[in-house]
């Protein structure tokens, strides 16, 4: 009997298994695919970043380089696919080695709970029972399917098939303006596709503040067309084209495209693997209900990652994984983060963490904001990346930083400081008095804080504190 069995080997599952093994527990992990790492490493975060890296190189070659002109890039799709796959292979094979090094037993096959103390793993017609004292459900999520989409048509792409880069369509419609849709829009646009994004909501990248998203839209206005408040209601496949029905306030119209990527969100896998049959409580959408120790309604069973409430992000899952491993090992810990960062790896990147201004307004939280424009940053001007903003959202009375957002080159990397600031309860003054290197893009964080504090000297003195 294992001390712990982890069902699923994504960033949540393997982090939990490895941490538990390091704490001296006897651990097994069950994975239905041939490689470890789940969606994120195999067909999600990691391969998309490999493609976005290439997209960045192509887009950069197109930008004015202040005296240097590059020829039009030559694109070798096979080599790009190879970079994607070798990135995935490096990480997934390292995971298998680390599992071995930690003596975590890996069962490859489809796992299904048959009691609160055992899971049956099925593979190629054979079955094996794995008994456990504790289990962690880390079964993730899957793409939401829309009833009117002709999924059998090869011109319909999902987040997995889009990564294959089988062909570059002339005109690609992105159905859903969330992070997956916009990241793949960026990849395909750089490779030559015309892009139309159809988004039901008021803005693309819901979740980020509008003023930041506006900069992203502005930079991309000649590269992509954004149709917001627009619902895709039907797709008809004909030999010549995919005829997409778009519905907005003016009524319905047709758009003929030669490929559609569907990226309308993900739903949790809670209703699979016999999870509810053993008494684990789910909500109506299939999320497993957990407390702040990630414990489910069955005391020896825990759940982490996309199958639980909260953002569907790998770094949330891995931190939950560590928490549960430590709880099972007897530590007094829980999972109550103040800040879970989000990054859209688009061009430019958009990154945000903690409270947004939109959320503050919705929840009636009294906040102030300080937004430093990158057009006043020496490093941004010298690097030709002035289309950016660094924004702080802070408590009106205490000046404590509650949220932050950045749009611009390397925004995702710059966000780290602000995530730490929020977790440590920093105020504007703490950030403003921290010496940031000059000239640098991260200096914009310090300058935004100085702007809020009224001590800034890198902008006109409208906001200067006189006393
Ligand atoms: N870099 C990252 O952090 C990253 C990358 C990829 C995915 N993810 C996560 O994966 C999850 C799924 O991402 P996603 O982009 O698929 O989902 P999402 O929920 O973020 O966005 C889907 C969008 O589709 C729109 N939509 C739904 N039906 C529509 C219709 N019929 N017509 C037009 N628009 C429609 C919705 O309004 C929504 O804005 C998210 O939780 C996301 O945070 C994160």
């Amino acid at each position: 009997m294992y001390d712990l069995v982890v069902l699923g080997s994504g960033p949540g599952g393997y982090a939990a298994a490895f941490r538990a093994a390091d704490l001296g527990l006897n651990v097994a992990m069950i994975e239905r695919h041939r490689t470890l790492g789940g969606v994120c490493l195999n067909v999600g975060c990691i391969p998309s970043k490999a493609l976005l890296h290439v997209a960045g190189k192509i887009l950069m070659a197109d930008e004015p380089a202040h005296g240097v002109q590059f020829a039009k890039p030559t694109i070798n799709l096979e080599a790009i696919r190879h970079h994607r796959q070798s990135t995935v292979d490096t990480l997934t094979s390292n995971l298998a080695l680390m599992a071995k090094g930690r003596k975590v037993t890996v069962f490859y096959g489809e796992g299904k709970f048959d009691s609160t103390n055992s899971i049956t793993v099925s593979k190629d017609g054979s079955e094996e029972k794995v008994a456990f004292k504790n289990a962690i459900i880390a079964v993730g999520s899957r793409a939401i399917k829309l009833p009117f989409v002709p999924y059998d048509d090869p011109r319909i792409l999902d987040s997995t098939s889009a990564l294959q880069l089988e062909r570059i369509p002339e005109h690609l419609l992105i159905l859903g303006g969330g992070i997956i849709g916009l990241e793949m829009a960026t990849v395909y646009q750089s490779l030559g596709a015309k892009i139309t994004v159809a988004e039901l909501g008021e803005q693309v990248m819901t979740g980020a503040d509008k003023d930041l998203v506006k900069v992203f839209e502005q930079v991309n206005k000649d590269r992509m067309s954004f149709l917001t408040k627009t619902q895709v209601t039907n797709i008809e496949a004909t030999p010549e084209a995919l005829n997409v029905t778009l519905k907005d306030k003016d009524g319905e119209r047709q758009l003929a495209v030669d490929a559609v990527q569907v990226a309308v969100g993900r739903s949790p896998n809670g209703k699979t693997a016999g999870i509810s049959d053993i008494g684990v409580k789910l909500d109506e959408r299939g999320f497993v209900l957990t407390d702040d120790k990630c414990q489910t309604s069955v005391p020896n069973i825990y759940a982490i990652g996309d199958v639980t409430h909260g953002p569907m992000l790998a770094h949330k899952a891995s931190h939950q994984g560590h928490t549960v491993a430590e709880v099972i090992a007897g530590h007094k810990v829980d999972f109550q983060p103040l800040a879970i960062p989000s990054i859209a790896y688009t061009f430019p990147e958009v990154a945000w963490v903690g409270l947004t201004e939109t959320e503050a307004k919705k929840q009636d939280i009294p906040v102030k904001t300080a937004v430093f424009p990158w057009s006043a940053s020496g490093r941004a001007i010298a690097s030709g990346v002035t289309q950016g903003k660094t924004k702080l959202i802070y408590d009106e009375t205490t000046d404590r930083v509650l949220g932050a957002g950045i749009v611009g080159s390397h925004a995702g990397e710059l966000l780290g400081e602000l995530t730490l600031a929020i977790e440590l309860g920093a105020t504007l003054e703490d950030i403003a008095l921290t010496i940031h290197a000059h000239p640098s893009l991260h200096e914009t964080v310090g300058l935004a804080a100085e702007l809020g504090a009224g001590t800034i000297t890198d902008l006109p003195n409208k906001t200067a504190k006189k006393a």
Side-chain angles (χ1 to χ4, degrees):
M1 168 159 324
Y2 289 96
D3 295 326
L4 172 65
V5 169
V6 184
L7 184 57
S9 72
Y14 81 72
F18 292 2
R19 180 82 185 106
D22 290 347
L23 289 166
L25 303 181
N26 179 19
V27 182
M29 185 158 65
I30 302 170
E31 172 53 56
R32 66 176 146 177
H33 293 301
R34 281 185 306 112
T35 51
L36 303 180
V39 169
C40 176
L41 268 71
N42 289 281
V43 288
C45 339
I46 296 297
S48 61
K49 298 307 102 60
L51 297 183
L52 280 160
H53 166 73
V54 175
K57 300 271 177 216
I58 299 170
L59 291 172
M60 225 176 254
D62 215 20
E63 281 178 4
H66 317 287
V68 181
Q69 180 117 31
F70 293 102
K72 202 173 159 43
T74 312
I75 291 167
N76 177 342
L77 273 188
E78 195 45 49
I80 299 174
R81 288 188 204 109
H82 180 264
H83 169 59
R84 179 210 64 216
Q85 201 49 44
S86 65
T87 305
V88 169
D89 293 346
T90 302
L91 284 161
T92 55
S93 55
N94 282 349
L95 268 191
L97 285 176
M98 286 199 284
K100 208 170 168 193
R102 288 180 159 89
K103 300 193 173 35
V104 169
T105 308
V106 180
F107 292 91
Y108 288 97
E110 190 80 35
K112 185 167 186 274
F113 283 94
D114 34 49
S115 76
T116 54
N117 285 103
S118 104
I119 291 180
T120 295
V121 182
S122 316
K123 195 186 178 198
D124 303 332
S126 66
E127 286 192 347
E128 192 169 357
K129 262 192 196 305
V130 183
F132 58 80
K133 289 184 196 153
N134 299 283
I136 300 178
I137 300 165
V139 294
S141 61
R142 61 186 182 286
I144 291 174
K145 294 209 159 186
L146 295 173
F148 56 80
V149 175
Y151 286 100
D152 291 342
D153 193 301
R155 294 168 295 181
I156 300 287
L157 304 174
D158 61 16
S159 58
T160 303
S161 57
L163 293 168
Q164 302 310 314
L165 296 186
E166 286 298 337
R167 70 186 181 103
I168 306 306
E170 261 176 50
H171 188 177
L172 172 65
L173 178 101
I174 305 281
L175 201 179
I179 296 186
I180 293 186
L182 294 173
E183 288 185 353
M184 291 320 291
T186 304
V187 169
Y188 276 90
Q189 189 277 329
S190 76
L191 294 171
K194 175 180 173 191
I195 303 286
T196 301
V197 180
E199 166 55 46
L200 190 59
E202 292 207 344
Q203 65 171 66
V204 296
M205 229 181 271
T206 338
D209 275 338
K210 208 174 190 152
D211 54 339
L212 303 178
V213 176
K214 255 206 175 124
V215 176
F216 161 79
E217 285 181 341
Q218 178 65 24
V219 173
N220 284 288
K221 71 178 184 336
D222 298 330
R223 297 179 183 152
M224 299 177 194
S225 119
F226 300 104
L227 309 175
T228 52
K229 296 189 208 160
T230 302
Q231 185 179 9
V232 174
T233 56
N234 196 34
I235 300 174
E236 190 205 353
T238 68
E240 298 74 39
L242 294 171
N243 294 319
V244 180
T245 308
L246 301 168
K247 190 177 160 198
D248 61 17
K249 63 176 182 13
D250 301 322
E252 284 193 347
R253 66 195 162 95
Q254 301 285 317
L255 180 70
V257 295
D258 60 347
V260 171
Q261 162 148 24
V262 187
V264 292
R266 301 182 65 81
S267 68
N269 284 335
K271 291 182 185 167
T272 66
I275 292 167
S276 59
D277 300 341
I278 55 158
V280 171
K281 288 211 170 86
L282 309 177
D283 75 1
E284 64 289 348
R285 291 181 59 198
F287 285 103
V288 177
L289 299 175
T290 53
D291 64 10
D292 59 12
K293 298 202 181 307
C294 304
Q295 194 169 27
T296 71
S297 51
V298 175
N300 66 325
I301 298 186
Y302 299 78
I304 59 174
D306 286 11
V307 78
T308 63
H309 286 151
M312 288 186 172
L313 294 170
H315 39 280
K316 168 211 159 205
S318 54
H319 277 261
Q320 285 179 314
H322 284 191
T323 303
V324 177
E326 289 163 12
V327 166
I328 294 171
H331 298 200
K332 288 199 178 356
V333 289
D334 45 32
F335 182 74
Q336 288 195 49
L338 286 177
I340 302 179
S342 289
I343 303 171
Y345 297 85
T346 45
F347 293 98
E349 290 183 350
V350 186
W352 63 101
V353 61
L355 187 69
T356 60
E357 188 180 1
T358 318
E359 246 340 282
K361 277 195 186 128
K362 223 190 264 173
Q363 295 181 36
D364 248 341
I365 301 172
V367 294
K368 285 187 187 165
T369 61
V371 184
F372 182 80
W374 286 21
S375 52
S377 149
R379 183 69 201 268
I381 295 169
S383 311
V385 291
T386 50
Q387 284 171 304
K389 282 180 178 177
T390 298
K391 172 175 182 174
L392 302 180
I393 297 127
Y394 54 100
D395 186 286
E396 200 179 74
T397 325
T398 63
D399 278 358
R400 187 171 164 165
V401 180
L402 303 175
I406 306 179
V407 54
S409 177
H410 299 97
E413 304 298 334
L414 302 178
L415 194 72
E417 170 183 0
L418 288 162
T419 309
L420 185 66
I422 295 171
E423 276 294 344
L424 297 184
T427 62
L428 271 191
E429 198 179 31
D430 292 325
I431 298 178
L433 292 179
T434 299
I435 299 178
H436 292 79
H438 175 79
S440 67
L441 293 178
H442 80 260
E443 187 185 20
T444 63
V445 172
L447 294 170
E450 288 185 4
L451 180 64
T455 56
I456 193 157
T457 47
D458 283 59
L459 282 175
N461 69 353
K462 280 188 223 144
T463 57
K465 230 181 214 167
K466 299 278 192 274

